[in-house]
Amino acid sequence: MKKSIDLINERVRDGNARVVTADAMPGIVAELGEEEALREVDVVTTGTFGAMCSSGAFFNFGHAEPPIRMERIWLNDVEAYGGLAAVDTYIGATQQSTTREDQYGGAHVIEDFIAGKSVELRAMSRGTDCYPRRTITTDLLLEHLNQAIMCNPRNAYQRYNAAINTTDRMLHTYMGMLLPNSGNITFSGAGGLNPISNDPKLHMIGNGVPIFLGGAQGMVIGEGTQSSPAGGFGTLMVSGNMKEMSQDYVRAATMQGYGVTLYLGVGIPIPVVDLDVVRSTAVRDEDITVDLLDYGVPSRSRPVVRKVNYAQLRSGLVEVNGEEVRTSSLSSYRKAKEVAETLKVWVEQGKVNLVLPTRPISPETRVMPMHESVHGPRVLDIMDKRVISVGETEEIRAAAQKLLKGETNHLPVINNSGLLVGIVTTYDISKAVANPGKATLVRDIMKKKVVTTTPDEPVDIAVQKLERHNISAMPVVDREMHVVAMLTAINLGKLIGGRWLK
Amino acid sequence: MKLLVNFSKKAGQKPIIAQVVKDTGVLINVERAIIDSSEGEALIDIPDDTCRIVKEKLADLGATVRVLEHGIILDETECVDCGACVSVCPHEVFYLDEHWVIRLREGRCVLCGRCIDACPHHALYQKDEA
Ligand code: SF4
Ligand code: SF4
């Protein structure tokens, strides 16, 4: 059996349609069976409410007298794009204020407009024959704009990998605050309520489909940026009229140490036209699995600590290496349900005309990493291969002499097998000489916890290590812990004026 | 009831809180303390009916004392019930109820301030910051 979209719209018009939220669907299918569920249910509404960084809005301000062709534009000191000619602009949610840093950004401008607050526009131009004006400053309300169209390149992630931190340092990430030593887990997304999770093959979600966006009726423009539905990480590009939105579903936020983002409510009604839709909307939290990634590794490919599903994440505790670790959702499940329920009411009231995609989105797309034609500098490009080291059983005096000769302030300490076991600095030696005590050998005064790097490590990561530990040099080691070179602050100078910064 | 105690630490002086316990016989629960070589701040929890005597004794010993009537406070208009605060709190103050609404067990809070940084919506604050 199949149901046409026309039949579903007809039932909606007649007030006979059965509309349910996605979290109710697994129960209905379990109770009635798939065939009966198809006959019974006409529309499943989905919803999610969470941080959607890749969001923003187009504004048209209307022409001033005399007119200006805005080239640089700020809204409450947040820079907006000035390349759209005359009085159009696009403001991105994560753009930060030039005066208030991460406490205010594009997301706040969007929320303030929707909340009915006044926003200051400042713009500059070089002045042309047709647009003579060079500067403008004016206070604007949303109603003063001709158009305010939210247009988000990448929203409604199908699911998102969870985060943990195995290092001994607190991390501040876009996945929120990650406590040291696997102290907590954070995750995002509404699991079985998530729009694309209810239609992973993108049968019913495609270009032109009506949606709930920030409290307004919006629509799917098409495939979202970075969309990867083939791997289970589809995204959507969506738009909606900001003038119809509500602050209840559009909230600016700051992830401490990461920056500004926008929390947004997105929901999609899925017409139940065939058994495929019945099956895909019967998805449960426990069916949706993600990787738990270690954000302690600052790389594109972070190690997977374990697999975990949304039911486990939402339970509050997840086991990691035999220990129960507490979880935090970054997105709001309550709000996600509210989105799905509001959308349900809209559909029931006949406010939403359901349509099939005017053009399908390919479910085969897979995201590619960046093609880098020039690789960023690595430690081996700038490290100093002349290593002066000292044996752990040598006398402190010997170390002092090496430091004097070697024009270095750091001596890696090696054991009999030539492996790194510690480090001594000029400071350690002076201290030992100034306060002669029992210590006579290098190993008595060396620091045993050595921060190291490897030849392959990107310089940016090595620099982060130096800064974080407040040190000016570290040994470069191979896999076996042989010291192959030193990296010092002086080597970093090679980057400046070198080929990397051209 | 919770008291926030600030004191300067002079060489040779007895530990101030131990002194108060000894002199008053009140059992003081130290929930949080940051003490360096010259000064210290401690958050202590004491039975309500001993408040006056403990406060007086601390003042005698040169400490400044502030009564903390509230733990961390939630601004419901800003909160979106995400739950980002839940796993970062060392004292399990936050939980999501059966309607996925955030709830606080305020009495457990020791005002360490960690959740204030973790909340993406600036929905958490301490009373005197408001
Ligand atoms: S982190 Fe902030 S917004 Fe989220 S639930 Fe906690 S108090 Fe509310
Ligand atoms: S201040 Fe500290 S103890 Fe109090 S609720 Fe926040 S994290 Fe928990």
Side-chain angles (χ1 to χ4, degrees), chain A residues 115-147:
Chain A
K117 291 190 189 151
S118 155
V119 171
E120 185 197 65
L121 164 70
R122 266 190 309 124
M124 293 190 328
S125 166
R126 69 199 134 90
T128 68
D129 286 344
C130 41
Y131 292 109
R133 190 154 181 170
R134 285 161 192 251
T135 63
I136 193 161
T137 303
T138 179
D139 289 333
L140 297 170
L141 295 172
L142 188 55
E143 66 200 56
H144 297 140
L145 308 186
N146 286 314
Q147 281 79 25

Side-chain angles (χ1 to χ4, degrees), chain A residues 410-487:
Chain A
H410 297 77
L411 276 186
V413 182
I414 54 176
N415 64 12
N416 281 340
S417 337
L419 303 182
L420 180 73
V421 289
I423 193 161
V424 289
T425 62
T426 319
Y427 176 75
D428 299 325
I429 306 262
S430 330
K431 214 168 64 179
V433 173
N435 312 306
K438 273 178 278 167
T440 55
L441 300 183
V442 167
R443 73 159 167 240
D444 301 328
I445 61 161
M446 70 185 184
K447 282 194 199 70
K448 294 198 182 98
K449 253 191 130 178
V450 193
V451 182
T452 60
T453 178
T454 60
D456 283 342
E457 193 157 62
V459 168
D460 288 330
I461 306 287
V463 168
Q464 244 185 14
K465 283 188 186 169
L466 291 174
E467 282 175 358
R468 196 172 292 150
H469 294 95
N470 198 16
I471 52 179
S472 59
M474 57 185 167
V476 184
V477 294
D478 64 12
R479 268 174 215 284
E480 285 85 41
M481 290 303 274
H482 294 106
V483 182
V484 296
M486 287 295 285
L487 182 72

Side-chain angles (χ1 to χ4, degrees), chain B residues 52-63:
Chain B
R52 200 177 49 85
I53 143 167
V54 170
K55 256 174 78 178
E56 276 171 12
K57 192 74 217 169
L58 281 163
D60 285 352
L61 292 168

